[in-house]
Amino acid sequence: KAGVTQTPRYLIKTRGQQVTLSCSPISGHRSVSWYQQTPGQGLQFLFEYFSETQRNKGNFPGRFSGRQFSNSRSEMNVSTLELGDSALYLCASSSAGTTMNTEAFFGQGTRLTVV
Amino acid sequence: AQSVTQLGSHVSVSEGALVLLRCNYSSSVPPYLFWYVQYPNQGLQLLLKYTSAATLVKGINGFEAEFKKSETSFHLTKPSAHMSDAAEYFCAVTRFSGGYNKLIFGAGTRLAVHP
């Protein structure tokens, strides 16, 4: 079965622009989480969607937003990009997310560079 | 709140030597712990997970980890390092927040393997 697919793999944007990243979870998975990975801050949780509802959110400014569609695909949007938003953005899907030992499957990530 | 601390941001071993990557957890409830591996420009792949069924957990690629409640540790080991083990390794714990669970990652340990 196909894994988690993130598109695009690489993006270069200019400060002040906005960007939309896409994530297609494993078929049947209804939970999608997003993480930001930077050398300085490591892996930080952005938010989680389950059945089109955001049910968990990390400590990021409102410029970071997301949504989930009825087919469980998810998008995250970053508006008014800043240089500090340059990072690897990882998407993870899981079957439920309510069980504490639920395994999360990660995509290859989208490398965003803001110039 | 649940968290994990990885001791040593960089570990270097010779090929064929023992690999030991350290992870200590903080949790007021029985934790669910995970080890993930990340190869360059890739997403995270699950190595193994602890779910209280057994204290010694065997994972993929010859890795294993032992849960020690008395030491609040979940160290990752491999008897004999291979060049292909060079990667970054993350310990993670499930945190219950806002009624749902999310993964909280340690800062990561970069493993280098020398011939």
Side-chain angles (χ1 to χ4, degrees):
Chain A
K1 114 176 154 173
V4 179
T5 303
Q6 290 189 246
T7 56
R9 287 292 314 276
Y10 301 92
L11 264 179
I12 300 177
K13 289 287 187 179
T14 304
R15 272 184 301 175
Q17 287 187 314
Q18 73 163 16
V19 66
T20 299
L21 313 181
S22 178
C23 172
S24 293
I26 291 172
S27 178
H29 284 189
R30 296 164 64 190
S31 169
V32 173
S33 298
W34 289 89
Y35 293 82
Q36 181 195 64
Q37 185 178 25
T38 59
Q41 300 297 318
L43 278 158
Q44 292 189 286
F45 174 78
L46 279 156
F47 29 63
E48 185 219 357
Y49 286 86
F50 182 82
S51 293
E52 302 180 65
T53 301
Q54 184 186 90
R55 62 179 191 183
N56 241 326
K57 192 176 189 308
N59 295 323
F60 278 82
R63 300 185 297 106
F64 292 81
S65 63
R67 59 177 174 170
Q68 187 180 34
F69 302 95
S70 58
N71 61 358
S72 293
R73 189 178 71 86
S74 177
E75 290 181 346
M76 69 162 281
N77 184 278
V78 187
S79 62
T80 319
L81 283 166
E82 301 176 359
L83 294 179
D85 297 333
S86 295
L88 181 67
Y89 290 88
L90 292 165
C91 164
S93 80
S94 63
S95 58
T98 56
T99 308
M100 295 190 76
N101 64 350
T102 299
E103 177 181 345
F105 295 84
F106 284 80
Q108 292 188 303
T110 294
R111 171 77 61 188
L112 171 65
T113 302
V114 182
V115 298
Chain B
Q2 292 88 340
S3 66
V4 289
T5 301
Q6 291 183 243
L7 301 175
S9 57
H10 290 81
V11 170
S12 180
V13 300
S14 299
E15 191 173 21
L18 170 72
V19 175
L20 171 61
L21 304 181
R22 300 177 187 273
C23 173
N24 287 88
Y25 68 88
S26 169
S27 177
S28 57
V29 298
Y32 288 88
L33 295 158
F34 305 79
W35 274 101
Y36 282 85
V37 61
Q38 184 178 34
Y39 298 101
N41 293 316
Q42 299 293 319
L44 277 68
Q45 179 184 11
L46 182 70
L47 279 175
L48 49 82
K49 64 180 180 181
Y50 168 73
T51 60
S52 76
T55 57
L56 184 62
V57 182
K58 293 188 183 300
I60 62 172
N61 302 341
F63 284 94
E64 62 182 37
E66 186 172 7
F67 175 76
K68 291 187 177 180
K69 186 177 179 180
S70 60
E71 299 177 8
T72 61
S73 69
F74 189 58
H75 301 333
L76 182 70
T77 60
K78 182 174 180 177
S80 176
H82 191 273
M83 296 296 288
S84 61
D85 294 327
E88 190 155 19
Y89 292 79
F90 294 91
C91 182
V93 66
T94 304
R95 176 182 293 173
F96 190 72
S97 170
Y100 301 99
N101 300 305
K102 60 182 181 182
L103 275 175
I104 303 300
F105 288 90
T109 297
R110 189 170 297 278
L111 175 67
V113 182
H114 301 290

